[in-house]
Amino acid sequence: GAQVTDTPQTIAPGKFFLRMDALTLGVNRDTDGPNKYTALGLASSILSIGLTPTVDVQFGAQFFVRQTYQYQGTNSSRSGWGDTSFRTKWTFWRSPGGEAAAAVIPYVKLPSKTTGIGNNHLEGGLIVPWALQLGPGSEAGAMFQWDQLRNDANNGYDARWFVSGFARQHLVGGIGAYAETTLAVSSASSSSFAGTIGGGVTVDFSKGLQLDYGLSRGLGGRATDWTGVIRLRWAF
């Protein structure tokens, strides 16, 4: 139900869940000059398949990514198939009443074969999401993530620590709203801080189909200024 924060719930055995960022647009401007970076993603998806009541497996793919750099009046663009990833989720704890749960999600990202998209290196990490039902139609959650990412010098790996939190509230009918914030720091340097603050609106068309629009503002010199996402969730 939130733009970035994962949930600890797994998919029922034999069932499928598709989370697709149908359209993602990020814009970052250079305050010192007329330079701009724009990233467009289409159909970035994660498909989850339930194995047991507490375990599912997930396959992720970025079906189309386009990156455009505008530097001193000259545009340079790269586009193609993005990275793929494999994850598994295990809900290792539930409260006696079922109001709260926590899970662990190890993942590995495989490099893209499209020249210029991705960094062409293996990466991975661990995600730990937690969520709590606060009352009818109200939920809050948080997530901790540890990543091993290829460094900018392309001669090794840096660690990244990422935390996020959200609060969601049902409004009326099939409409809900949420607020979310994120924070990331890297072992690369003390100036690697990046965060976001934002929110979104969800619309439930049926029990298994939801549309989500989210908008976030970047915080810190390493963050994208604005990111908008139109997301689709489909359980089947």
Side-chain angles (χ1 to χ4, degrees), residues 4-231:
V4 177
T5 309
D6 214 313
T7 63
Q9 289 77 20
T10 54
I11 310 306
K15 299 294 184 181
F16 299 86
F17 178 75
L18 176 66
R19 169 178 159 149
M20 176 188 292
D21 291 359
L23 173 64
T24 305
L25 179 64
V27 178
N28 196 33
R29 295 182 181 274
D30 186 353
T31 57
D32 296 328
N35 306 319
K36 184 172 69 172
Y37 167 74
T38 304
L40 172 68
L42 299 177
S44 298
S45 307
I46 295 179
L47 177 65
S48 303
I49 305 170
L51 298 182
T52 75
T54 59
V55 176
D56 64 32
V57 293
Q58 305 173 355
F59 168 76
Q62 297 175 308
F63 288 101
F64 180 81
V65 178
R66 181 180 180 86
Q67 300 172 333
T68 302
Y69 301 86
Q70 183 184 64
Y71 179 70
Q72 296 182 349
T74 302
N75 287 340
S76 175
S77 296
R78 299 177 297 188
S79 61
W81 180 283
D83 294 317
T84 58
S85 62
F86 293 93
R87 317 191 324 173
T88 184
K89 181 190 291 187
W90 171 41
T91 304
F92 65 86
W93 175 80
R94 294 184 189 275
S95 63
E99 298 88 358
V104 60
I105 308 171
Y107 81 92
V108 60
K109 187 219 74 176
L110 303 180
S112 166
K113 292 184 178 180
T114 302
T115 302
I117 301 297
N119 58 17
N120 292 318
H121 285 280
L122 189 71
E123 297 176 328
L126 189 69
I127 305 169
V128 182
W130 167 88
L132 171 67
Q133 294 289 336
L134 301 175
S138 182
E139 184 182 16
M143 183 180 80
F144 168 78
Q145 183 170 337
W146 168 76
D147 308 300
Q148 283 290 302
L149 306 178
R150 193 68 177 177
N151 61 19
D152 293 339
N154 198 27
N155 59 6
Y157 286 82
D158 291 327
R160 186 188 75 150
W161 297 273
F162 177 90
V163 293
S164 66
F166 77 92
R168 183 174 67 238
Q169 178 63 52
H170 172 258
L171 300 178
V172 61
I175 300 176
Y178 64 87
E180 185 176 43
T181 185
T182 72
L183 172 65
V185 293
S186 171
S187 63
S189 69
S190 58
S191 61
S192 62
F193 158 81
T196 64
I197 185 169
V201 176
T202 59
V203 180
D204 296 326
F205 293 99
S206 67
K207 185 177 180 180
L209 182 62
Q210 182 187 78
L211 187 67
D212 173 356
Y213 172 73
L215 181 66
S216 62
R217 179 71 167 94
L219 305 173
R222 303 273 296 188
T224 301
D225 290 341
W226 290 98
T227 302
V229 180
I230 298 176
R231 176 173 292 118

